[in-house]
Amino acid sequence: MQYEEVVLEEKVVVGLKARTRNLDPNMPVVIGDLWRRFFEEGTYLAIEDKKNGATIGLYDAYEKGMDGYYDITVCAEVTNAHEIPKECIIKHIPSGRYAKFKIKGHMQEAVVKFWAELWQMDLERSYKADFEEYVGGTPEECDINIYIAI
């Protein structure tokens, strides 16, 4: 897979969080439920001062690389995090070097395929924070930037 190395400034995000791990058979349900709640319960619309229209799936607080527990936060980047909706949290995506992958396709299928391929890559990851940034399109044909901390 091709990627571009980029340096990002810190991002402040607001959203809903859960803790899971890849080896948990319920992991897809945990993550899917966060996305459902984020949109169907109006969380996305309730977040004020969004920096742009992108939605982010943030993975951080890694316990032991890809086999341990981690936080998944479905969120939006904000310019001001003083007033946040009930049940939401504030997180910071750290500044630093990231491998940026651009993918396009069915929102869920393309991301699942990406992660399966990433786990097979010899990419020196820092496990500080990784995130999917959904930047446009439809669920069937979505533009997604995925940033992996290196």
Side-chain angles (χ1 to χ4, degrees):
M1 284 191 304
Q2 297 290 326
Y3 64 89
E4 167 189 7
E5 193 171 311
V6 298
V7 176
L8 298 180
E9 296 296 321
E10 181 182 75
K11 297 177 181 291
V12 179
V13 296
V14 171
L16 301 173
K17 179 190 89 161
R19 190 141 179 91
T20 190
R21 67 185 189 139
N22 295 335
L23 299 176
D24 184 341
N26 290 324
M27 181 265 295
V29 174
V30 169
I31 293 174
D33 186 55
L34 274 184
W35 283 102
R36 181 195 60 73
R37 289 177 45 218
F38 191 71
F39 287 108
E40 290 180 12
E41 294 178 7
T43 303
Y44 176 79
L45 293 175
I47 295 172
E48 297 180 5
D49 299 319
K50 287 187 272 299
K51 188 167 186 176
N52 53 45
T55 305
I56 294 174
L58 169 63
Y59 305 88
D60 68 345
Y62 286 100
E63 191 175 79
K64 291 186 287 183
M66 80 176 216
D67 293 331
Y69 283 90
Y70 56 85
D71 287 351
I72 167 69
T73 307
V74 176
C75 51
E77 184 178 4
V78 296
T79 57
N80 177 354
H82 296 298
E83 298 285 328
I84 66 170
K86 183 180 175 185
E87 296 187 23
C88 282
I89 61 155
I90 300 168
K91 282 218 171 192
H92 296 262
I93 299 175
S95 62
R97 290 179 34 240
Y98 289 82
K100 178 183 179 181
F101 297 84
K102 291 184 177 189
I103 64 172
K104 186 178 187 95
H106 184 277
M107 188 180 283
Q108 187 176 13
E109 293 169 7
V111 169
V112 168
K113 181 179 180 220
F114 167 83
W115 284 105
E117 290 177 15
L118 180 75
W119 294 327
Q120 301 305 312
M121 281 183 72
D122 187 24
L123 183 65
E124 197 165 321
R125 297 173 60 188
S126 70
Y127 292 97
K128 289 181 185 175
D130 306 313
F131 64 99
E132 305 153 357
E133 181 181 47
Y134 297 83
V135 293
T138 66
E140 291 76 29
E141 192 64 26
C142 190
D143 294 317
I144 308 163
N145 295 325
I146 301 182
Y147 297 86
I148 305 299
I150 53 177

